Amino acid sequence: MFPKLNRVAHPSLSQTVSIQLTIVTLLALFWLTLGLGSAGIFVSGLRVGSALLLLFFLPGLLLTQFARLRITRAGEAVLYAVGLSLVFLSLFVTSVGVLTPLLNVQDTFSLQPLAISLTVVLLLITALLHVVETPEVRFDWVAPTRLTAGLIAVPVVAVLAAGFMNDGGDASLMFLFVVLVAAAVVVSSTRFLPPAQYPLAIFLIGLATFLHRNLLTGGVIGADVQFQYFLAQHIQETHVWSPGVGSRITALPMVTAVPAAISTLADVSVAAVFKVAYVFVFSLVPVGIYYVGRRIFGNREALLGSFFFIFYHISFSLTPGKQLLSELFVVLLLLLLFEHGLSTVGNKAVAVLLSIGVIHAHYGTAFVLGGSLLAGHLMLSVVRRVVDEFEHDSSVVYPVTFLGLAIAWYATFSPQLLNQILRMPLVIGQQVANLVAGTAVGTGANYIGGQVTVLDRLNVLVYLVLTALLGIGLLSRVVTHGVRLRRGERTEYVEYTALSIPMFVFLASTFFVIANLWADRTYQMVLVVLAPFVALGFRTLFAATVTALERLGKPSDLRPRWSLLAVLLSALFVLNSGAAYAAVGNADTATFDSNANDYVFTDDERAGAAWLKEHAGFTDPGSYRSPSAASPSDDTVTIYTDSVSYQLLRSTTPETYYDVRIERLRSPWRPEFDQSRLQRGYVFIRERSVRDVSGSERLPITSLSREHAEDVTEAGTVVFRNDEVTIVRIEGRPDGYSDDL
């Protein structure tokens, strides 16, 4: 039986009083915990709980009330509340960073100025609820079924599995977790799970998938996120931030100043904000994809499209940083545009706020989304000139406004970043000119060419099949619109198709050329829009197959076998998670092998990086150094390391904040190890990056051979060593020195 539909409704006055009392109560609790200080775990829990509600939920709830946004689903209400709360926080910390120094306030990002400022702002906004007429809160919700309640076990197993890997490297629960996720996906695609339960199922499976990886070790996981973590930690420690002072990434407060402020106010580590709080936030993105997709494509298409987004390797293998976090605001913009529209002043205000969220989180997402919206509108304008009586709801005003806001923000607070973006066409042109010489690093062609094992090729094959389904789905939608136009019928959601076409073209172009986004990152970014087309392509292909069989006199059931696509998506997760590789004894991921050389850095490895920061002889305290001031000098410390450890050092001693030059011993652009390059400085050797190779075995570009590591150790002086890191000091080479390797 299907679960009973429940309806929650609060009269406007009653809900206003309830919200006001809730905010005042939480503020009182928060200040009480500050007064009690370190009075035990219960007080600490109260502080964390009250702070997180005040930061992640209630500001967005207030903003939805002011905008008179009519929301009818509980899950959608949570999405808007969390998304708009983060935008509020970003605007709040920006105001604090810009305005409080004008008032001669010192240490503006310390606890007291932040807490007082937040309290004053929240109380002012709360008081305004009596002035503004707010709509009645009314939304539907469905009690969880036994199957959905059972899915709660999946995140629990994910947490336990990560704990077992951290404690003793035991991967048995990881295998169980992967089996549970695969089974949950297949069962969710059947009739055993009613559509009303899809959002909760998507959230639980997504949360579990993101947690099982992010809870490994105590640090953030990934490459670019290491530098974002450094900046947030730097702000939290120095208590100073301004969007226009520092690295270009400081112009992205959503991944720098916001996590620093959350850490200070809630008294949790910056790493916990990224690895736990932001993971919960990112788990809402596939739910938003479902809400958008169900309206345009259907329930099953939206469900399976959400799973494709979750199981794409970039989505779950990295700690949410600028790109992943920006996708929450993208999906909320899509939900606003295609569910509510921009017909009211309140909805337009929400669109502006969500646009700011994208801009404050990731410049790449901002320009890809804005450019695609503009390109889609231009396509529809051309069709409108060719086809009589063709109507669409797309407007040039929003994409132009969006791009204008992005350019204005980056030009004001990060001209260096804007200049880099404007140089992208030149970079792409150079790559096109060099195609004759070979594929560029980071392109799809380069990625496919680098796969050597059977499982690698199987993984690529699964991606190619899913990409083909995606293309078929988009093509079928274009053909459907064309047929309807020819018949003079109304075309529904043609604006979504118009947005999808330039995104698909952008994705296809990364097979040969890339800008600042490698092909795998581009694929993940556009899946926010394109993911449901995979299921639509499957349905189209299935229907074509059934039609062909009927013509051959073989009647068949016309209903798509969605479980087949669910099995394919489960296979994608089994491969991307590393479970398939681990099963054959070749796990190259820390999810299943604690000795794997990936971006999951252990405490001992971070201890080595911290030692280097303290003892390498840096003459500056870690303040921002402009590009002109960052040129090498006699005081510059040179550190040599592998390409994976290079990312770890970005979280402790980045080149834009320390007088340091970090050289990769091997890289895609310089794959051969050359010991003669080693000059005066330090060599940072992670044990996990060292491999024993024999014969014709190919050494991964991220690793060093055991022989080369020993040569480096013998050539210098070991100044630091623990179980996982060796640091060697090189005293320099005489002129003309070279090694005969």
Side-chain angles (χ1 to χ4, degrees):
M1 291 182 61
F2 290 106
K4 180 181 178 181
L5 183 68
N6 300 280
R7 174 155 292 174
V8 176
H10 291 289
S12 180
L13 180 59
S14 173
Q15 79 184 22
T16 298
V17 174
S18 299
I19 293 172
Q20 290 174 324
L21 286 175
T22 300
I23 292 175
V24 171
T25 302
L26 286 173
L27 283 172
L29 277 176
F30 173 71
W31 279 100
L32 177 62
T33 60
L34 293 186
L36 293 175
S38 302
I41 190 171
F42 178 73
V43 174
S44 297
L46 276 180
R47 177 173 173 181
V48 172
S50 59
L52 292 182
L53 283 173
L54 289 168
L55 296 172
F56 279 97
F57 188 77
L58 289 172
L61 182 62
L62 289 172
L63 291 175
T64 58
Q65 292 296 295
F66 283 120
R68 299 181 58 81
L69 198 60
R70 298 191 176 277
I71 302 172
T72 58
R73 295 183 290 259
E76 187 181 343
V78 173
L79 268 168
Y80 276 109
V82 173
L84 290 175
S85 291
L86 283 172
V87 177
F88 166 83
L89 275 178
S90 190
L91 292 172
F92 168 74
V93 297
T94 300
S95 301
V96 170
V98 172
L99 298 178
T100 51
L102 301 178
L103 303 175
N104 294 322
V105 177
Q106 302 297 320
D107 296 335
T108 55
F109 271 74
S110 59
L111 177 59
Q112 190 172 14
L114 281 176
I116 293 174
S117 301
L118 180 67
T119 301
V120 170
V121 172
L122 284 178
L123 288 177
L124 285 175
I125 297 176
T126 303
L128 289 176
L129 277 181
H130 272 304
V131 179
V132 179
E133 182 181 354
T134 58
E136 178 184 6
V137 172
R138 183 186 297 271
F139 56 81
D140 300 329
W141 66 281
V142 179
T145 62
R146 291 182 179 178
L147 178 58
T148 314
L151 289 177
I152 297 175
V154 183
V156 174
V157 174
V159 173
L160 293 175
F164 271 60
M165 281 300 300
N166 289 334
D167 289 341
D170 184 356
S172 56
L173 277 184
M174 280 295 182
F175 283 106
L176 174 62
F177 166 73
V178 172
V179 171
L180 285 176
V181 170
V185 169
V186 174
V187 172
S188 297
S189 67
T190 66
R191 294 184 177 181
F192 290 105
L193 188 69
Q197 299 289 308
Y198 285 175
L200 183 56
I202 291 169
F203 174 76
L204 291 173
I205 292 174
L207 177 63
T209 304
F210 304 148
L211 282 176
H212 93 280
R213 173 79 173 173
N214 274 282
L215 291 183
L216 295 174
T217 75
V220 296
I221 297 169
D224 288 352
V225 74
Q226 300 294 336
F227 184 51
Q228 297 159 43
Y229 169 74
F230 166 82
L231 289 173
Q233 185 81 12
H234 186 70
I235 295 166
Q236 199 264 349
E237 292 173 353
T238 62
H239 304 149
V240 176
W241 175 81
S242 175
V245 179
S247 165
R248 65 191 183 193
I249 304 300
T250 58
L252 305 177
M254 205 68 73
V255 291
T256 54
V258 169
I262 294 170
S263 171
T264 299
L265 291 167
D267 194 26
V268 295
S269 69
V270 173
V273 176
F274 278 100
K275 291 169 66 71
V276 180
Y278 275 9
V279 165
F280 271 84
V281 169
F282 183 61
S283 300
L284 295 173
V285 175
V287 179
I289 292 174
Y290 171 76
Y291 280 135
V292 175
R294 66 176 286 192
R295 185 174 185 88
I296 298 172
F297 301 97
N299 287 321
R300 293 289 179 83
E301 289 87 345
L303 173 72
L304 294 167
S306 299
F307 287 148
F308 183 28
F309 176 85
I310 292 170
F311 298 148
Y312 186 80
H313 61 281
I314 297 292
S315 294
F316 69 83
S317 62
L318 308 177
T319 298
K322 56 184 190 292
Q323 176 172 318
L324 300 187
L325 198 63
S326 70
E327 292 164 356
L328 173 66
F329 309 108
V330 173
V331 79
L332 281 171
L333 273 170
L334 296 177
L335 190 60
L336 180 70
L337 292 172
F338 295 100
E339 182 86 14
H340 303 281
L342 300 180
S343 57
T344 68
V345 174
N347 288 8
K348 290 183 175 70
V350 172
V352 171
L353 289 174
L354 294 174
S355 301
I356 292 172
V358 177
I359 295 165
H360 281 197
H362 191 213
Y363 43 86
T365 304
F367 284 103
V368 169
L369 177 63
S372 298
L373 285 168
L374 183 59
H377 172 77
L378 294 176
M379 282 191 297
L380 293 178
S381 299
V382 171
V383 174
R384 191 171 190 174
R385 287 182 176 273
V386 176
V387 180
D388 295 333
E389 299 181 359
F390 170 59
E391 298 293 336
H392 63 84
D393 296 328
S394 176
S395 170
V396 73
V397 175
Y398 177 68
V400 169
T401 303
F402 182 93
L403 290 171
L405 286 172
I407 293 172
W409 175 263
Y410 299 131
T412 302
F413 295 111
S414 186
Q416 177 190 358
L417 174 58
L418 187 61
N419 290 335
Q420 180 185 357
I421 293 170
L422 294 176
R423 290 182 62 252
M424 294 301 177
L426 177 61
V427 174
I428 294 174
Q430 291 174 343
Q431 292 179 8
V432 172
N434 293 332
L435 281 178
V436 178
T439 59
V441 174
T443 61
N446 178 261
Y447 174 79
I448 291 175
Q451 309 309 306
V452 293
T453 69
V454 173
L455 287 178
D456 288 340
R457 292 168 181 168
L458 179 61
N459 200 356
V460 169
L461 178 61
V462 173
Y463 269 129
L464 290 176
V465 170
L466 290 169
T467 305
L469 290 175
L470 193 157
I472 292 170
L474 181 57
L475 179 61
S476 70
R477 180 67 73 169
V478 172
V479 171
T480 300
H481 290 320
V483 171
R484 286 182 174 274
L485 287 174
R486 189 174 181 181
R487 295 174 179 173
E489 299 175 355
R490 176 176 173 80
T491 54
E492 292 185 338
Y493 304 115
V494 66
E495 301 84 5
Y496 194 91
T497 306
L499 169 64
S500 303
I501 292 173
M503 285 201 166
F504 185 80
V505 171
F506 178 53
L507 172 63
S509 69
T510 61
F511 189 81
F512 299 104
V513 295
I514 57 171
N516 194 38
L517 289 170
W518 285 24
D520 55 351
R521 289 175 57 195
T522 301
Y523 203 141
Q524 196 278 337
M525 180 187 292
V526 300
L527 277 183
V528 178
V529 176
L530 299 181
F533 282 106
V534 168
L536 179 61
F538 175 81
R539 187 178 70 182
T540 302
L541 193 61
F542 192 90
T545 302
V546 169
T547 301
L549 290 175
E550 288 181 339
R551 289 178 178 175
L552 295 174
K554 300 178 180 180
S556 180
D557 191 348
L558 294 175
R559 292 175 298 179
R561 299 290 190 271
W562 293 114
S563 57
L564 296 177
L565 181 56
V567 169
L568 182 63
L569 293 173
S570 297
L572 178 68
F573 179 60
V574 171
L575 288 165
N576 283 344
S577 67
Y581 294 83
V584 299
N586 189 29
D588 198 19
T589 170
T591 309
F592 289 91
D593 181 3
S594 56
N595 293 317
N597 183 30
D598 64 2
Y599 296 120
V600 180
F601 300 114
T602 66
D603 292 341
D604 276 352
E605 290 169 344
R606 291 190 176 276
W611 184 93
L612 199 55
K613 176 181 177 180
E614 294 295 325
H615 297 87
F618 294 114
T619 58
D620 51 24
S623 55
Y624 175 68
R625 303 165 69 241
S626 64
S628 59
S631 56
S633 66
D634 293 338
D635 294 327
T636 300
V637 177
T638 303
I639 302 175
Y640 302 91
T641 190
D642 63 273
S643 58
V644 175
S645 301
Y646 172 86
Q647 303 298 342
L648 168 61
L649 296 178
R650 293 177 69 192
S651 71
T652 56
T653 53
E655 293 172 300
T656 49
Y657 281 79
Y658 288 86
D659 191 3
V660 62
R661 182 169 60 96
I662 305 175
E663 293 282 343
R664 282 172 273 202
L665 295 169
R666 301 178 67 224
S667 71
W669 304 273
R670 201 169 184 174
E672 298 300 325
F673 174 80
D674 183 3
Q675 189 171 340
S676 65
R677 291 173 51 212
L678 301 183
Q679 302 298 317
R680 180 180 178 85
Y682 295 86
V683 183
F684 185 89
I685 303 173
R686 289 167 55 248
E687 180 61 30
R688 290 194 296 158
S689 71
V690 179
R691 287 202 177 188
D692 295 308
V693 292
S694 59
S696 60
E697 182 182 354
R698 192 172 92 164
L699 183 67
I701 202 69
T702 56
S703 300
L704 297 175
S705 69
R706 179 71 60 184
E707 179 185 358
H708 290 156
E710 291 175 353
D711 288 342
V712 169
T713 304
E714 293 174 0
T717 303
V718 175
V719 293
F720 176 87
R721 175 172 280 165
N722 61 23
D723 291 339
E724 299 184 28
V725 171
T726 299
I727 300 177
V728 180
R729 184 173 63 233
I730 304 295
E731 298 299 342
R733 304 295 192 190
D735 293 339
Y737 177 90
S738 65
D739 285 308
D740 185 17
L741 298 178

